[in-house]
Amino acid sequence: MSEYKIEYIKTRNNLESVTVNGYLLHSKYDPIQEASRIVEKEFEQGYVYILFGYGLGYLAEVLYEKIEDATKLIIIDPIYPLINAEEKIGKFTIIHELKKNELEVLIAGALRNLSRKIKVICSPNYDKVLPNEMKRVLEIIKEVQRMLQVQENTIRLFSDNWQENYIQNLFNVSQDNPLGNLKKIYTCPVILASGGPSLTKQLSLLKEIKNQVIIIAAGSTINSLLANEIEPDYIVTIDGGLANYNHFKDIRKIESKLIYSITSHYKIQDEYTNNKYAFLPASNKVYGEHINKVFSIDLPLISGGGSVANFAFSIAAYITSGPIALIGQDLAYTDGKSHAESNKRFTEIDLDFGESRTIIEIPGYYEGMVITDYPFLSMKKSFEVLHQKMQHDSPIFNCTEGGAKIEGMNQLSFVDFCESYVYQQHGVNKEIVKENNYKKINSSIFISKMNAIINIYNYLIKQLELALKFLNQNNTIGTFNKDILKELSKIDKNLDKKLKQVSLNYLTDPITLDILRNYEPKLNESSIETYTRVYNQSKELYSRLLEAIKKTKQYSLDTIDKAKRNERGKENG
C-alpha cells in the first residue's frame, strides 16, 4: 500500500485531521461539527448503516451515538491500518479486508427479518481515495439485498404450500423410514446428478458406471436420467409446488428410492410405492422438535439452500464417506439453455427471457464469464457455504464441465473422476443397505394424536376470535380501555403457551415479517399515533393468525381422513 501518501494536520479547533494523497478526510476547521452535519442529513430510523471510511473516527463516533443498536453499524476502511498506526478501535470493529463471503454474511446478519434497508455513508473523499473499493462494497451490498429479496419471495410464495405439505406429510413420516437410517452407510463414490444443460454430455458415461456408484437425482433430473435408461439409486425431492408433483406423477415401475423433505408435495409421497426416507431442512428445527415430541420420530436436519440440488449435496455427504462428484450443476444458462434438453423444465433463453428477470455475468467453470440470474446465484452461494462447512473424509469434485464456477470446490473432468475413483473400485455392493425394521405408527394411534392437535387449534381459534371481539369493543378515543387491555394481555399469554404446542411457522413467517416491518414506531410519534399503530398491528396479527390456524386445522383434518382410509384399506385387504 505504498501508493498512499498520508499526512496529519492540526485543525483550527486544535483537533487532528488527515490527508491521503492530498484528499482531506476530515474538516480542517471542525471535524466533529462536520460529522454532525453529515449524520443529521443522512440518518433515518430503522436502517443498517454501512460507513465507508473510518479515518480518525469522528463520523463513526457521531453515528454510533445516534444508532440505538450498535450491531446496525458496519464500518469498512481498507486503509485503516495505514492511518491508525495503533489498534485503537475500542467499541468499533473496522473491516479493512474486503473478503466478499465474510462481508456478505456480516451484512445479511445485521439485516434482521429479511429487511433490505441499508444506508451507505461515504466519509468525505473516501470515494476519491478508494474508488474501486467503494464500487466493490456497493456491488456486495446490492448482491446481499438481491439474495434477501429472493429468500423473501420464496417464503411468501411457498409458505402455504409448505404448511399444507408439512401437515399432509405427517402421516407419510409416520409410515416411512427416517433418513438417519442411511447415515454413512456407503463407502463408495456418489454421483449427484442435477438438471443443468451440461448434464447431457455426461449421461453416456454415467450410464456406463451406474452399477459401480450410488447415483442421486436432484428433483426433476429424474426425468432426464430415465429418458436415458438410467435409474438412480435415490431421488431427492423438496419442492412443495404442484409443478414438482407433475414431474413425478407419471413415474412408475422403477427401483429408485425416494428421499424427501417434509416440505415436498405430499402427493409424491402418497403415490410413490418404493421405500422412502424422510428428513427436515436444517432451518426447520422447531418442526423436528414437534414431530419428536408428538410422534417420537427423530428426523435428521439437513442443510440446503434455494435448490433441491443443495439439499441433495448435503445428503450425498450424509450417506457416504466416499468421494462425491457433481454433474449437471451449471447454475447458469450454459449455451443459452436453462436445463438439460430431456428435462421437463427445459427453456431456451431469448431476448424476452432476459427482459423478464435480471441477467448477470459471473466467473465460469472454464474461467470465462457465464450468464446467470439471482436465483441461480443464490443456489451457487449455498453450495459454497455448504462445501466450506462440510466435514467429509473423501474428496469432493465439481465435474459439471460447464456453467458457473463453484468457488472453493475442486474441479475435475467426469472422465478423470471415473478413472481415479470408480474404475479402481471392483464393483459396489449395494446390498449393504438392508431395509430396516422401522416400526410404523399404527393409524389409530396417529389419528388420536392428530385429534389432540385439532383440539389445540380449536382453542386457539376461540381465543383469537375473542381477541378481535375485544379490539372491536374498544371505544375509548386514542387509548385502550384498561379492562380490554387486561383481557388482551391474558389472551396473549394463552396464545403464547398454546402456539408452542403446534407448528405453524411456515404460515406465520410472512406474518411476522409484516408485523415487525410495517409497524415500526415513528420518530417522536404522538400518543394518538402510537395507539393507532398498536391497534392496527394487533388487529392484523390476530386476523392473520386466525386465518392461518383455520387453514392448518383443515389440512390436519384432511390428513386424519388419509389415515382413516389407510386403516380401512388394511381391514379390507
Side-chain angles (χ1 to χ4, degrees):
M1 286 191 172
S2 57
E3 70 269 25
Y4 298 107
K5 183 183 177 183
I6 298 169
E7 294 182 87
Y8 299 89
I9 60 174
K10 282 289 181 183
T11 67
R12 287 193 179 180
N13 62 347
N14 208 32
L15 294 173
E16 194 173 45
S17 187
V18 63
T19 64
V20 178
N21 296 344
Y23 290 107
L24 196 64
L25 301 188
H26 303 289
S27 168
K28 60 183 178 182
Y29 300 103
D30 190 338
I32 296 176
Q33 188 179 69
E34 175 192 50
S36 297
R37 282 199 303 268
I38 293 171
V39 171
E40 189 67 30
K41 179 184 176 184
E42 297 291 342
F43 183 79
E44 288 185 68
Q45 207 167 16
Y47 280 79
V48 166
Y49 285 86
I50 296 179
L51 177 61
F52 186 74
Y54 179 81
L56 296 176
Y58 298 111
L59 187 50
E61 288 286 351
V62 175
L63 189 56
Y64 178 81
E65 291 301 320
K66 194 79 172 174
I67 298 173
E68 295 177 359
D69 185 349
T71 63
K72 292 190 175 183
L73 174 58
I74 298 170
I75 304 172
I76 301 170
D77 190 343
I79 55 175
Y80 173 84
L82 297 179
I83 296 174
N84 298 272
E86 299 177 6
E87 289 291 326
K88 52 180 182 180
I89 297 174
K91 55 180 164 284
F92 299 122
T93 298
I94 316 296
I95 299 163
H96 57 85
E97 293 184 76
L98 297 185
K99 296 180 179 177
K100 189 170 182 287
N101 288 344
E102 292 178 13
L103 197 52
E104 285 174 344
V105 170
L106 184 65
I107 295 170
L111 290 164
R112 298 180 193 123
N113 301 312
L114 299 181
S115 167
R116 296 175 295 284
K117 293 175 73 173
I118 297 176
K119 288 208 82 170
V120 180
I121 298 178
C122 181
S123 289
N125 289 322
Y126 261 84
D127 54 338
K128 297 181 179 69
V129 176
L130 300 165
N132 294 331
E133 290 82 353
M134 177 72 175
K135 181 182 177 184
R136 180 162 170 75
V137 168
L138 293 175
E139 287 172 350
I140 290 171
I141 292 168
K142 182 181 177 182
E143 210 163 279
V144 170
Q145 289 174 314
R146 292 276 192 176
M147 295 300 102
L148 292 172
Q149 180 72 67
V150 169
Q151 288 182 42
E152 181 173 342
N153 291 347
T154 302
I155 287 171
R156 292 188 184 282
L157 185 62
F158 293 109
S159 62
D160 200 344
N161 278 339
W162 288 341
Q163 186 68 26
E164 181 178 16
N165 289 322
Y166 167 69
I167 298 296
Q168 291 277 16
N169 275 322
L170 285 176
F171 183 66
N172 293 317
V173 166
S174 76
Q175 305 299 299
D176 297 331
N177 303 282
L179 181 61
N181 291 349
L182 296 181
K183 187 173 183 179
K184 297 298 181 188
I185 202 162
Y186 295 109
T187 59
C188 59
V190 169
I191 312 298
L192 169 56
S194 297
S198 297
L199 177 66
T200 304
K201 63 188 173 187
Q202 313 289 23
L203 289 173
S204 60
L205 182 52
L206 184 64
K207 186 175 181 179
E208 179 186 321
I209 65 167
K210 65 181 182 179
N211 294 324
Q212 295 174 268
V213 297
I214 298 298
I215 301 174
I216 297 177
S220 62
T221 310
I222 179 61
N223 293 296
S224 295
L225 298 183
L226 293 179
N228 288 273
E229 300 177 334
I230 301 170
E231 283 193 16
D233 298 278
Y234 298 99
I235 311 166
V236 178
T237 173
I238 67 162
D239 295 334
L242 184 62
N244 190 38
Y245 168 65
N246 289 333
H247 288 307
F248 286 85
K249 67 178 183 179
D250 296 325
I251 296 175
R252 297 288 185 271
K253 296 180 180 179
I254 63 171
E255 297 298 319
S256 307
K257 300 176 178 67
L258 190 73
I259 297 175
Y260 67 93
S261 162
I262 201 149
T263 58
S264 173
H265 198 291
Y266 66 94
K267 287 186 178 179
I268 297 172
Q269 287 72 247
D270 287 352
E271 298 174 10
Y272 203 82
T273 56
N274 293 350
N275 285 343
K276 293 164 281 185
Y277 297 84
F279 72 91
L280 276 163
S283 58
N284 297 158
K285 184 179 178 183
V286 64
Y287 284 91
E289 291 169 349
H290 181 250
I291 291 170
N292 188 273
K293 184 177 180 180
V294 176
F295 302 105
S296 300
I297 297 171
D298 188 17
L299 296 183
L301 298 171
I302 301 296
S303 297
S307 161
V308 62
N310 295 139
F311 286 95
F313 178 46
S314 291
I315 288 167
Y318 187 84
I319 69 174
T320 188
S321 57
I324 298 171
L326 277 61
I327 59 174
Q329 196 54 70
D330 290 68
L331 301 164
Y333 296 103
T334 306
D335 298 327
K337 299 171 182 176
S338 65
H339 295 79
E341 292 185 20
S342 50
N343 191 297
K344 289 183 179 180
R345 297 168 67 186
F346 172 78
T347 306
E348 288 197 85
I349 308 307
D350 55 20
L351 207 58
D352 291 338
F353 183 89
E355 290 174 354
S356 67
R357 61 179 71 194
T358 304
I359 297 296
I360 54 177
E361 286 190 336
I362 58 173
Y365 189 97
Y366 291 117
E367 303 304 328
M369 303 299 283
V370 294
I371 61 168
T372 189
D373 57 18
Y374 281 102
F376 272 150
L377 186 60
S378 176
M379 298 169 200
K380 179 177 111 72
K381 289 186 179 299
S382 293
F383 272 113
E384 290 165 354
V385 171
L386 291 170
H387 182 253
Q388 187 179 28
K389 293 181 177 179
M390 195 171 281
Q391 301 290 324
H392 194 66
D393 296 335
S394 299
I396 297 171
F397 297 100
N398 182 4
C399 302
T400 298
E401 299 181 74
K405 182 181 181 67
I406 300 176
E407 300 292 341
M409 190 178 293
N410 291 326
Q411 295 182 177
L412 190 68
S413 73
F414 195 33
V415 169
D416 287 345
F417 178 86
C418 293
E419 289 286 349
S420 299
Y421 299 102
V422 179
Y423 298 142
Q424 291 180 11
Q425 308 288 326
H426 300 292
V428 175
N429 181 13
K430 295 181 183 179
E431 297 304 317
I432 63 168
V433 180
K434 296 178 181 177
E435 295 309 328
N436 60 76
N437 296 317
Y438 176 64
K439 190 175 180 181
K440 299 179 181 181
I441 294 178
N442 182 277
S443 296
S444 60
I445 294 174
F446 177 84
I447 292 166
S448 174
K449 290 179 180 293
M450 288 300 297
N451 279 327
I453 293 173
I454 293 289
N455 290 336
I456 297 173
Y457 292 143
N458 288 334
Y459 176 83
L460 288 167
I461 289 168
K462 287 180 181 178
Q463 289 291 296
L464 287 164
E465 289 175 339
L466 190 59
L468 286 167
K469 180 182 175 183
F470 280 128
L471 270 182
N472 291 330
Q473 287 177 351
N474 191 68
N475 52 17
T476 52
I477 300 173
T479 186
F480 284 101
N481 177 288
K482 287 184 179 179
D483 291 334
I484 287 178
L485 204 57
K486 186 178 178 182
E487 292 297 332
L488 289 175
S489 179
K490 190 192 301 182
I491 289 171
D492 285 343
K493 288 179 182 177
N494 293 338
L495 290 173
D496 185 58
K497 181 180 177 181
K498 288 295 183 180
L499 282 169
K500 290 175 181 175
Q501 297 176 25
V502 294
S503 290
L504 291 162
N505 294 51
Y506 290 125
L507 282 180
T508 58
D509 280 348
I511 299 173
T512 303
L513 285 177
D514 291 336
I515 295 300
L516 293 177
R517 190 182 293 174
N518 299 338
Y519 295 96
E520 290 185 358
K522 297 177 183 176
L523 206 60
N524 303 318
E525 71 179 6
S526 66
S527 58
I528 295 288
E529 287 174 326
T530 300
Y531 166 76
T532 303
R533 175 175 56 80
V534 174
Y535 180 90
N536 291 335
Q537 184 181 40
S538 300
K539 188 170 184 178
E540 181 175 352
L541 176 62
Y542 294 143
S543 300
R544 291 179 66 181
L545 268 179
L546 180 61
E547 181 185 358
I549 291 167
K550 285 181 176 179
K551 274 185 180 180
T552 306
K553 176 186 171 182
Q554 186 57 55
Y555 298 151
S556 301
L557 290 170
D558 294 341
T559 306
I560 289 172
D561 286 342
K562 179 163 59 179
K564 287 178 178 178
R565 289 195 300 272
N566 180 270
E567 189 71 9
R568 288 195 295 270
K570 286 181 180 178
E571 291 172 0
N572 296 333

